[in-house]
Amino acid sequence: MKNIILYTSIIASLSMVSCKKEDKVVPQSSTPTSTINVEYRVTNESGNVEITYQKPDDNGTFESETETVSRTYYAINFTCKKGSYLSVEAANVLPARKTVTVQIFVNGVLFKEATSYDPSQKALAAGNY
């Protein structure tokens, strides 16, 4: 009788344990994206700032461009190769203690940001991405 109970217990415990096939993890993409979407954003209180930024020309070579903007918000959008040096800086045209903020967004995510309150200092955000 003891053997029957023992065998029944073993069979019952084995039937409750199941073997589960492991799912294989497959990467979604084996080749990384080589281009990125970049957006430079400039916000300011004065509404009169000078902006200097790095942006690729039609051949993909980065050039420095400078613009004077009479708005409190300004954005520059472009695509470039991953690993590029990105840079945007801005300052009030007339010396004023009004804030200037520059931001670099890569693929919609904030990458770098800087703010200046000092009339003699530019807000500069830069880095390789």
Side-chain angles (χ1 to χ4, degrees):
M1 186 69 171
K2 288 182 184 180
N3 286 341
I4 294 175
I5 294 174
L6 178 66
Y7 290 129
T8 306
S9 299
I10 292 172
I11 291 172
S13 65
L14 288 176
S15 66
M16 290 184 187
V17 176
S18 66
C19 294
K20 185 177 180 183
K21 182 181 177 183
E22 291 185 28
D23 293 331
K24 227 180 188 183
V25 177
V26 179
Q28 291 182 352
S29 175
S30 59
T31 57
T33 305
S34 61
T35 60
I36 55 174
N37 296 313
V38 177
E39 181 177 34
Y40 295 150
R41 294 181 190 173
V42 179
T43 56
N44 63 88
E45 292 178 339
S46 72
N48 194 14
V49 293
E50 184 177 89
I51 304 167
T52 302
Y53 55 91
Q54 297 287 323
K55 181 180 174 188
D57 63 11
D58 293 336
N59 298 323
T61 304
F62 272 76
E63 294 180 332
S64 181
E65 295 187 28
T66 300
E67 297 181 40
T68 301
V69 178
S70 299
R71 290 184 241 166
T72 57
Y73 175 81
Y74 190 67
I76 300 117
N77 296 288
F78 60 91
T79 59
C80 65
K81 291 182 182 179
K82 199 172 193 176
S84 297
Y85 179 74
L86 307 173
S87 173
V88 60
E89 64 181 51
N92 289 307
V93 172
L94 299 174
R97 291 208 176 272
K98 300 200 180 223
T99 60
V100 176
T101 301
V102 293
Q103 298 173 312
I104 302 172
F105 284 82
V106 177
N107 296 330
V109 178
L110 181 62
F111 170 58
K112 296 280 183 175
E113 177 178 44
T115 300
S116 175
Y117 305 95
D118 187 342
S120 64
Q121 292 287 113
K122 292 183 177 185
L124 169 65
N128 286 319
Y129 189 93

